[in-house]
Amino acid sequence: MDSVSIIGMISVITAGLTIAIGSIGPALAEGRAVAQALSAIAQQPDESATITRTLFVGLAMIESTAIYCFVVTMILIFANPFWDHAIAAAGG
Amino acid sequence: MTISPDSVVYFQWGIFSLNATLVFTWVVMAILTLTSWLVTRRISDNPDISRWQNLLEVLVTGIRDQIAQVSHQQPGNYLPFVGTLFLFIAMANLLNVVPGYLAPTGSLSTTTALAICVFIAVPVFGIASKGAGSYLGRYLQPTWFMLPFNIIGEISRTVALAVRLYGNIMSGTVIVGILLSLTPYFFPVVMQLLGLLTGMIQAYIFAVLAMVYIASATSVYEKAEDPDQADTLSSDQ
């Protein structure tokens, strides 16, 4: 296999692993956050506006972890710097 | 596959290139400005108001209420900045339903610019309300040793603000693009609707986070420096 195929193969495998592992943590965290917020609303329905707002902000914070993984995946597949370098070095 | 509207160039003149991000940013700004101008031109305080004025009043009072609830302060000072951020991002994401439109928030340059606005606005509001010494003193809390970490925290939350908005909008665009080539007709429409929801939530979250950062810069040391409270604290001990 030439270097471009190896770089392509490793990029795709790493991209899949990144998004797979990187979505586990945020998924668990979001589930826990929503469960806690629901039980908090069940105990104190009057405070549901504040709890919901805080929940959304917290979810956005957690979600950004998954988004970082997604951005890294997109860079690996569509904008891989090693890929460009290898193609340029091969004179392609 | 284009993962950023930056790469769509409409017009090139020397080193200046007019890409889709710039074009659609101006489109969004033009829509917001024109609508506001047209509505506020014939503004009235009768009970009998036009629909557009009603819409604008609902938006402004809604944003004022949200700012007041998040910051526990009068919203007047923060309304222009936070409201503009929210309306711009919301309109930029909402226009995604128009065919051929590329959301400028799907480009890292736009979201970085917005995050830098917040990065500058936080100390500006903080110094305006607390004074330079008192504001800059918070970087030395709890000890002078924490100074570099406070500065890193300031920068990293700006980066997080930019990457979060960019990642969300970009992921929506890319996933719809991939689905269009795999399963056209129905499924991309559902993902588009999901993208609209995410877009509105992200606009809300960007505005709320900007408000939270500004509120933490303007209000935290009010309590600590309040002489009455300091008296009660010392008398308690």
Side-chain angles (χ1 to χ4, degrees), chain B residues 197-221:
Chain B
L197 177 72
T198 332
M200 294 309 287
I201 292 179
Q202 286 307 314
Y204 173 74
I205 281 171
F206 198 99
V208 167
L209 282 181
M211 196 56 244
V212 167
Y213 296 154
I214 293 171
S216 77
T218 51
S219 72
V220 167
Y221 287 89

Side-chain angles (χ1 to χ4, degrees), chain A residues 50 53, chain B residues 60-79 82 208 211-212 215:
Chain A
T50 314
R53 193 178 58 239
Chain B
V60 170
T61 44
I63 296 173
R64 282 182 69 95
D65 283 351
Q66 289 290 329
I67 294 176
Q69 281 178 17
V70 172
S71 67
H72 304 291
Q73 294 175 42
Q74 287 296 317
N77 282 338
Y78 313 118
L79 181 73
V82 180
V208 167
M211 196 56 244
V212 167

Side-chain angles (χ1 to χ4, degrees), chain A residues 53 60-61 63 67-68 70, chain B residues 69 160 163-164 168 171 204-205:
Chain A
R53 193 178 58 239
M61 290 293 198
E63 190 193 83
I67 291 290
Y68 294 149
F70 181 79
Chain B
Q69 281 178 17
V163 174
R164 180 180 309 120
N168 270 289
S171 68
Y204 173 74
I205 281 171

Side-chain angles (χ1 to χ4, degrees), chain B residues 49-109:
Chain B
I49 58 176
S50 70
R51 290 180 190 178
W52 287 96
Q53 189 186 338
N54 201 347
L55 173 74
L56 216 60
E57 285 183 5
V58 168
L59 273 174
V60 170
T61 44
I63 296 173
R64 282 182 69 95
D65 283 351
Q66 289 290 329
I67 294 176
Q69 281 178 17
V70 172
S71 67
H72 304 291
Q73 294 175 42
Q74 287 296 317
N77 282 338
Y78 313 118
L79 181 73
F81 179 67
V82 180
T84 308
L85 277 182
F86 173 75
L87 284 181
F88 176 77
I89 300 172
M91 182 53 85
N93 296 341
L94 202 62
L95 284 180
N96 253 334
V97 287
V98 179
Y101 172 85
L102 298 167
T105 41
S107 151
L108 192 55
S109 39

Side-chain angles (χ1 to χ4, degrees), chain A residues 9-25 69-70 72-73 76-77:
Chain A
M9 188 184 75
I10 293 178
S11 297
V12 170
I13 294 175
T14 316
L17 280 176
T18 308
I19 202 74
I21 300 171
S23 54
I24 294 173
C69 294
F70 181 79
V72 169
T73 310
L76 279 174
I77 295 179

